[in-house]
Amino acid sequence: MLKGKKILLGISGGIAAYKSMYLIRLFRKAGAEVRVVATESAMWFVTRVTIESLSQNKLYDKVFGEDNDYTTEHISLTDWGDVFLVAPATANIIGKYANGIADDALSTSLIAFDKKVFMAPAMNCKMYDNFAFQRNLSYLKQNHAEIIEPASGYLACGYEGKGRMEEPEEIFAVVEKYFSGKKDLEGKRILITAGPTHENIDPVRYIGNHSTGKMGYAIAEELAQRGAQVQLVSGPVNLELKNSSIQRINVTGADEMLKVCLEIFPEMDAAILTAAVADYKPAEKHDKKIKRDDQPLMLELTPNPDILASLGKIKKEKQILAGFALETDNELENARKKLQNKNLDFIVINSLQDEGAGFGTDTNKISILDNKNQVSGFDLKSKKLVAVDIADKLASCLKE
Ligand code: CTP
């Protein structure tokens, strides 16, 4: 399961650092590659020689250093890793990560990492119970990291209580399980639309919008990772796909997007339409560039087809259809109308009133309303983690 996987192991300064040496061994034995990033304090507990001998890779513990392979080693390292596991994770590194502080090799690497993060806290039980630490931990738990809870028992400081880092075998098992992955969408055929549409005015100009396509692409990646066969119909965006199993069809305008979707949808088990389709297109097609003159230019616009509603009309009983609703006010009421009018199974609501939600950001804050009138609210999260929530909802609808 772990063969060829790339594990970034962060070690911060706690006595449990010695146990991380076993972790390196376990990962290496399972065929994974390991690179270690350590804090200065971690190096009081373990040595460079031990880490480098076990991992067979150079230790990264200084942001600036003459021996660094690259001047931006934290970026090349974080691009390299498939997952980032911090074990032991002290109160300090958890506090830094939760609050965006980057002042050493480990915290700088963490802040540059945008994939799966695991943290295995280890500390004295009074530190563990501290209000600020608990606030940071619960923030990370809800949003950005999977916490491998510490065990209760005898602590190195002589106290009994919660704070002892989970055993290396257990930590290893959690990471292994992640890679064995949920395959709850195995074989499901799913259509995703993403990005904006560009409605051509003439050969050099178009009407468009600020959609980057990030949310739709994140959903496509998550579904594919869970075993789905994904067809991604994408408007013009600047994004690349990581999962090569995703079939991407590039389109420009809404008419073209509709045509492709109508062809594909009958073969699909589900469709999630995230594209920010332009509501209008120029009524007249200009084959030649419109020349500038000093007179006002009137552009007549005509409505674009509603792709989601069109699919809603041809949806078969077993197919699941979902859409997005970007609202500025009266969110739930407006979304409910869209859900009903477009014959959807569920609708993902973005409110532009929420900071960090909507176009261009790497985060999103959503609620999901389904056709049984159930509403689930979620915290502000990275679009990757939002994609997990949406994929969970889709998987449960497909099961019903
Ligand atoms: N959508 C679509 N085709 C369109 C417009 C929207 O497929 N021509 C889809 C979007 O991909 C999204 C959902 O419909 O999943 C909602 O889009 P939104 O712009 O919020 O809603 P509209 O129906 O356009 O309503 P309004 O602009 O009035 O809010």
Side-chain angles (χ1 to χ4, degrees):
M1 219 65 84
L2 282 171
K3 203 166 164 27
K5 297 291 184 236
K6 299 182 175 87
I7 316 281
L8 265 176
L9 176 63
I11 305 181
S12 54
I15 181 66
Y18 81 91
K19 290 192 184 175
S20 303
M21 303 303 103
Y22 294 96
L23 256 176
I24 303 177
R25 288 270 300 143
L26 289 170
F27 285 128
R28 296 279 296 140
K29 260 175 86 178
E33 290 179 61
V34 181
R35 291 198 185 181
V36 175
V37 187
T39 62
E40 220 178 293
S41 331
M43 300 312 290
W44 285 91
F45 297 96
V46 284
T47 73
R48 177 179 303 277
V49 178
T50 320
I51 292 172
E52 293 189 344
S53 311
L54 289 172
S55 69
Q56 296 282 292
N57 270 317
K58 214 174 97 201
L59 165 70
Y60 176 52
D61 61 342
K62 287 186 188 67
V63 180
F64 303 104
E66 282 169 12
D67 315 335
N68 288 6
D69 288 342
Y70 311 99
T71 42
T72 52
E73 200 157 357
H74 56 287
I75 305 296
S76 53
L77 259 183
T78 46
D79 283 346
W80 174 87
D82 294 321
V83 295
F84 206 140
L85 163 66
V86 185
T90 57
N92 189 36
I93 193 68
I94 286 172
K96 283 185 189 174
Y97 185 44
N99 292 285
I101 296 168
D103 62 357
D104 63 3
L106 180 53
S107 51
T108 309
S109 303
L110 268 172
I111 210 171
F113 191 75
D114 62 358
K115 289 161 263 179
K116 179 79 180 175
V117 175
F118 297 94
M119 293 191 132
M123 67 204 66
N124 163 275
C125 51
K126 288 207 283 190
M127 294 169 78
Y128 188 82
D129 289 336
N130 171 268
F131 67 93
F133 172 73
Q134 280 300 325
R135 185 191 55 208
N136 291 334
L137 189 72
S138 96
Y139 174 72
L140 287 183
K141 215 187 272 185
Q142 279 172 31
N143 296 288
H144 301 291
E146 184 166 335
I147 305 297
I148 305 172
E149 297 284 342
S152 293
Y154 178 73
L155 305 176
C157 50
Y159 277 84
E160 289 265 338
K162 190 165 179 176
R164 196 180 69 197
M165 188 175 87
E166 188 52 282
E167 293 306 323
E169 291 76 12
E170 297 297 326
I171 296 176
F172 173 82
V174 173
V175 178
E176 193 185 36
K177 188 160 161 247
Y178 168 75
F179 281 113
S180 70
K182 268 198 222 166
K183 291 284 179 204
D184 54 352
L185 292 168
E186 190 79 65
K188 296 287 180 207
R189 292 154 305 171
I190 303 170
L191 164 68
I192 305 291
T193 65
T197 62
H198 286 180
E199 309 300 331
N200 289 337
I201 299 171
D202 68 13
V204 294
R205 305 179 180 95
Y206 63 82
I207 296 172
N209 58 63
H210 291 298
S211 165
T212 57
K214 282 181 184 168
M215 192 63 250
Y217 273 60
I219 294 173
E221 297 277 4
E222 174 63 22
L223 299 176
Q225 195 183 322
R226 286 159 75 157
Q229 295 167 20
V230 179
Q231 303 248 25
L232 174 66
V233 180
S234 174
V237 295
N238 234 331
L239 297 172
E240 286 192 6
L241 288 164
K242 292 195 181 119
N243 193 315
S244 56
S245 78
I246 300 171
Q247 289 182 26
R248 170 171 163 177
I249 303 158
N250 292 326
V251 296
T252 310
D255 287 324
E256 197 188 349
M257 187 176 269
L258 174 69
K259 185 168 174 281
V260 177
C261 289
L262 287 175
E263 271 165 30
I264 294 177
F265 186 57
E267 304 304 318
M268 296 288 120
D269 295 298
I272 304 180
L273 304 202
T274 76
V277 182
D279 286 322
Y280 293 92
K281 65 187 166 208
E284 196 184 340
K285 277 207 175 107
H286 291 268
D287 296 335
K288 296 204 175 85
K289 189 178 165 199
I290 303 171
K291 287 288 177 196
R292 180 193 136 84
D293 65 28
D294 290 337
Q295 294 308 307
L297 174 70
M298 299 297 286
L299 262 187
E300 193 191 336
L301 300 180
T302 181
N304 259 329
D306 188 325
I307 303 171
L308 188 55
S310 309
L311 299 191
K313 283 191 188 125
I314 57 167
K315 186 178 87 161
K316 285 180 283 214
E317 207 188 313
K318 279 205 167 143
Q319 286 181 308
I320 303 294
L321 182 62
F324 270 65
L326 185 63
E327 305 293 343
T328 50
D329 56 289
N330 248 339
E331 289 90 352
L332 207 54
E333 210 30 60
N334 290 336
R336 192 169 284 128
K337 276 190 204 138
K338 280 182 194 170
L339 178 113
Q340 283 161 359
N341 295 341
K342 302 191 190 196
N343 190 21
L344 309 183
D345 295 273
F346 67 89
I347 191 157
V348 181
I349 309 168
N350 281 140
S351 170
L352 275 189
Q353 282 180 20
D354 289 321
E355 211 175 300
F359 285 171
T361 59
D362 286 324
T363 52
N364 206 355
K365 187 168 182 330
I366 60 156
S367 337
I368 298 181
L369 167 72
D370 66 20
N371 56 2
K372 298 191 184 81
N373 211 11
Q374 282 183 331
V375 189
S376 333
F378 299 88
D379 292 319
L380 182 71
K381 300 180 184 191
S382 70
K383 285 190 170 161
K384 284 192 177 125
L385 292 179
V386 171
V388 176
D389 295 329
I390 295 170
D392 285 344
K393 180 69 185 173
L394 179 63
S396 84
C397 289
L398 282 166
K399 243 188 237 153
E400 276 171 18

